[in-house]
Amino acid sequence: MPPATAITAYPDLERLPLFSIPKNCTLETDETAMAAYYANRPLMWRNIAMIGICNLGWSTVFALIGPLMALRVLDIGVRENIQATITSANSWAVSFLVMWFSWMSDHTISRLGRRKPYLFIAAPFIIVPIVIFPLVAQPQFIVLLIALQVVSMFFMDMKGSTFPLLNIDCVPRDMLARASSVLAIAGGVTTFITMRSAGYLLRLGEWVPYAIGGTVMGLATLAAFFIKEPPIRHPAAESFKPWSTFKVASQDKRIFVLMIGVALVAGYAAMSNQWLWFFAKKNLGMERTEIFNALSWVGLVNIVAAYPVAWVIDRWGSLRVVIVFYLAQIGCFIGAMNIATPHGLLVLAVAQTIFFPLYSAADISVYKACPPKDVGSITSTCAFFKNGAAGCMSLASGWLIFWMGGNFRVGFVLGIIVATIGMALYAWHQGWLVKKPVCATVDVSEKSGAQRLDFEAV
């Protein structure tokens, strides 16, 4: 990394360093370049396409590989309480790591951009453990398996704390939900095809899905080279400290109530995402291929529901949409407590696929409070609360399920209780606590392609 004193100005892109996190240098964002960037709509859609290819490659693989890995680890003797403890520890770790990684990416100066370098660093350490997973997923290799899982989780945290910020960086704030819906529609198709082919791939060999998944993730990562990030130059004024992102976010301390509400209001959804596969296998007695075939149809729902849901989020405002999301969680919770057949699981999964995307309205209420240069710091502060809450819920639910003899409905009960607390805090902030903008208004010229953002509470 070049010394900070050597970095004073970069008159053209070619003279930027390959990777640096400078402090106290004179480099500043060129507002003219920013306006030209956001005015270039063909570039915006190309960026969305490349981000989409990369995200779809990774998310589609994990839609297949994630459950297979979790169920395989369960089969070789790592019970749900141990898996929950590992997941919980990672959630607590990422509560802090997300602030560190996001802060670093906010202040990174690189020819590649602020966010992309972290994807390229992390990808090999995620892909390699996945490809070799079938070789080490044996009872005699449990220690090695857990070690690989820890390494993979660390670099997944790096990627998850930085690359998704491009979804905010590259798109005008008033189009966030609709732009994301395009990716959801494409994801519905690819997820359906992937899950329907799971049984066939497993019959070819236990290692086949992992080898194909690693290849797809590697190719998808290459698509990120073609993303052009906005020309934001934001050198750090000081070194990172554990409270650095809180310092940025605390310009209006009421936002912390919003962040805690956002972290908790999806409590049932989080528990469903974590335990639904285990519930289907152990409580409903379904085999892996049966589960994949039942849930594969869920992906197609995204094709129909994604854009209308996004339009509702962009047009209605956050509070009303989050209330609908919370009420939908209650309905899904009631369903989860009563299903006893694979058909019931399919109906529940479809309902959750329709309603759970409404949660993004809660996240977007935080995104709209972010000045462009500090997106990482503010969203990572929110992520601190989200991951901390996830860690506590994962640990508590895992051990409660274990003590209750493998009754996964206990996790759903815990989730809806947490969601109710989150809804109360979110409504308090949005409906009563804040009657004025959360953060200072950011005025972006119309030439930039973005509109004036007043960051209203609802």
Side-chain angles (χ1 to χ4, degrees):
M1 182 184 301
T5 54
I7 303 175
T8 56
Y10 297 104
D12 52 64
L13 183 63
E14 287 72 20
R15 292 186 58 186
L16 288 175
L18 184 60
F19 182 83
S20 178
I21 307 176
K23 291 190 301 181
N24 298 316
C25 76
T26 60
L27 186 63
E28 295 181 354
T29 299
D30 184 339
E31 297 300 334
T32 302
M34 282 287 289
Y37 176 88
Y38 284 112
N40 190 341
R41 286 308 173 89
L43 174 62
M44 183 194 77
W45 287 111
R46 190 193 78 182
N47 284 335
I48 290 175
M50 293 300 104
I51 293 170
I53 291 171
C54 190
N55 284 337
L56 284 176
W58 282 76
S59 63
T60 301
V61 168
F62 272 97
L64 173 65
I65 297 299
L68 285 178
M69 294 176 73
L71 293 175
R72 176 58 183 159
V73 171
L74 184 68
D75 288 340
I76 65 175
V78 183
R79 293 288 303 276
E80 58 271 3
N81 58 325
I82 302 301
Q83 291 200 45
T85 301
I86 295 172
T87 302
S88 177
N90 179 65
S91 295
W92 289 329
V94 77
S95 295
F96 296 94
L97 291 174
V98 68
M99 295 189 291
W100 181 38
F101 291 138
S102 298
W103 181 91
M104 287 198 300
S105 71
D106 272 353
H107 300 294
T108 294
I109 305 298
S110 169
R111 292 197 298 273
L112 298 174
R114 296 194 298 170
R115 319 297 186 188
K116 293 192 298 182
Y118 298 92
L119 170 67
F120 300 141
I121 292 170
F125 295 96
I126 301 169
I127 295 173
V128 171
I130 285 175
V131 172
I132 68 173
F133 176 85
L135 304 177
V136 297
Q138 307 294 333
Q140 65 269 30
F141 297 137
I142 284 181
V143 174
L144 175 61
L145 183 64
I146 292 175
L148 287 172
Q149 189 174 8
V150 169
V151 170
S152 180
M153 282 180 170
F154 176 84
F155 287 98
M156 280 293 293
D157 296 341
M158 176 185 287
K159 173 187 174 292
S161 301
T162 53
F163 189 75
L165 297 174
L166 286 177
N167 296 341
I168 307 172
D169 289 344
C170 297
V171 180
R173 297 296 202 275
D174 61 326
M175 294 180 62
L176 283 174
R178 282 167 288 176
S180 298
S181 72
V182 176
L183 308 182
I185 292 170
V189 177
T190 56
T191 299
F192 173 78
I193 295 171
T194 300
M195 296 185 77
R196 294 298 293 184
S197 62
Y200 172 74
L201 295 177
L202 288 169
R203 286 193 295 272
L204 291 177
E206 191 72 25
W207 59 273
V208 173
Y210 300 93
I212 293 176
T215 302
V216 170
M217 286 191 291
L219 294 174
T221 300
L222 296 178
F225 278 106
F226 301 99
I227 300 169
K228 183 178 180 181
E229 296 191 31
I232 299 172
R233 317 293 178 216
H234 184 35
E238 57 185 20
S239 300
F240 175 80
K241 302 176 181 62
W243 56 86
S244 293
T245 65
F246 283 85
K247 183 178 178 181
V248 174
S250 64
Q251 297 173 42
D252 186 332
K253 295 180 175 57
R254 292 170 294 183
I255 200 172
F256 291 118
V257 176
L258 171 65
M259 291 178 175
I260 296 172
V262 168
L264 300 182
V265 75
Y268 167 75
M271 290 292 92
S272 178
N273 289 337
Q274 181 166 356
W275 299 120
L276 191 62
W277 281 81
F278 291 79
F279 173 73
K281 181 177 176 63
K282 297 191 70 174
N283 292 162
L284 299 183
M286 299 174 66
E287 296 298 327
R288 293 183 301 178
T289 301
E290 287 184 282
I291 302 172
F292 276 115
N293 288 339
L295 297 184
S296 63
W297 297 99
V298 172
L300 294 184
V301 176
N302 282 324
I303 299 173
V304 178
Y307 193 84
V309 167
W311 185 90
V312 167
I313 292 171
D314 280 339
R315 297 296 182 181
W316 275 22
S318 298
L319 179 57
R320 285 174 288 183
V321 176
V322 173
I323 290 173
V324 173
F325 166 73
Y326 170 71
L327 295 176
Q329 283 189 107
I330 293 178
C332 293
F333 164 73
I334 294 172
M337 298 301 288
N338 290 280
I339 62 172
T341 65
H343 176 73
L345 176 70
L346 174 60
V347 172
L348 174 67
V350 169
Q352 293 182 169
T353 301
I354 294 172
F355 291 110
F356 282 5
L358 293 174
Y359 171 74
S360 61
D363 280 335
I364 286 173
S365 64
V366 177
Y367 298 161
K368 288 186 175 181
C370 300
K373 64 185 179 66
D374 289 316
V375 165
S377 293
I378 294 178
T379 58
S380 65
T381 304
C382 185
F384 169 85
F385 293 108
K386 291 170 69 173
N387 286 290
C392 292
M393 284 192 293
S394 179
L395 184 65
S397 63
W399 283 95
L400 284 171
I401 290 167
F402 178 73
W403 289 329
M404 296 295 289
N407 185 354
F408 290 93
R409 288 185 173 93
V410 175
F412 303 151
V413 172
L414 175 64
I416 202 65
I417 292 172
V418 171
T420 301
I421 297 171
M423 185 69 249
L425 290 172
Y426 188 87
W428 178 37
H429 180 277
Q430 297 289 81
W432 292 279
L433 187 61
V434 175
K435 296 297 183 181
K436 60 182 181 180
V438 175
C439 295
T441 298
V442 175
D443 191 3
V444 183
S445 71
E446 293 191 1
K447 290 192 300 180
S448 69
Q451 297 178 356
R452 179 181 175 86
L453 304 176
D454 292 321
F455 302 152
E456 294 177 358
V458 296

